[in-house]
Amino acid sequence: MRLRFLGIIPNTPHTDSPTIWLDEDTGDLLIQSYKATDTEVKACQEIGSIPGHSTDVPDHETIIRLPRVMRQYLPPLDETDDKDTGEQLP
């Protein structure tokens, strides 16, 4: 795995540091950030995603809250198709 550091929340204290990395081999993002609250998770589950898809969050997944200021570190999307689904990325 070849990780590239993309950014850390500006002026972050040493004990509170949302950070984002890019896996250069897969294009995946690894994000350290705040855990979503139970209220936020419940709201996500109420909205859902696609019809028929479970709204449960599996043990190997979590919902995080990425602070707005961290969006500046997100790399732009390619114009290529998504490798997993074959669907065009928005």
Side-chain angles (χ1 to χ4, degrees), residues 2-6 20-24 27-30 75:
R2 295 178 306 124
L3 292 181
R4 177 169 41 117
F5 168 79
L6 296 178
I20 189 166
W21 301 267
L22 172 69
D23 181 331
E24 298 212 349
D28 292 348
L29 296 174
L30 287 87

Side-chain angles (χ1 to χ4, degrees), residues 3-39:
L3 292 181
R4 177 169 41 117
F5 168 79
L6 296 178
I8 190 167
I9 204 166
N11 303 316
T12 187
H14 293 294
T15 59
D16 191 29
S17 47
T19 308
I20 189 166
W21 301 267
L22 172 69
D23 181 331
E24 298 212 349
D25 294 328
T26 65
D28 292 348
L29 296 174
L30 287 87
I31 301 172
Q32 173 186 333
S33 193
Y34 307 108
K35 291 181 182 178
T37 65
D38 290 342
T39 301

Side-chain angles (χ1 to χ4, degrees), residues 22-75:
L22 172 69
D23 181 331
E24 298 212 349
D25 294 328
T26 65
D28 292 348
L29 296 174
L30 287 87
I31 301 172
Q32 173 186 333
S33 193
Y34 307 108
K35 291 181 182 178
T37 65
D38 290 342
T39 301
E40 292 166 335
V41 170
K42 184 178 177 188
C44 291
Q45 291 172 320
E46 288 173 358
I47 297 296
S49 57
I50 59 172
H53 197 275
S54 173
T55 60
D56 292 336
V57 180
D59 289 340
H60 66 278
E61 295 181 5
T62 191
I63 296 175
I64 63 166
R65 173 178 286 281
L66 186 67
R68 180 183 176 129
V69 68
M70 294 297 290
R71 290 175 25 192
Q72 67 183 312
Y73 302 118
L74 294 174

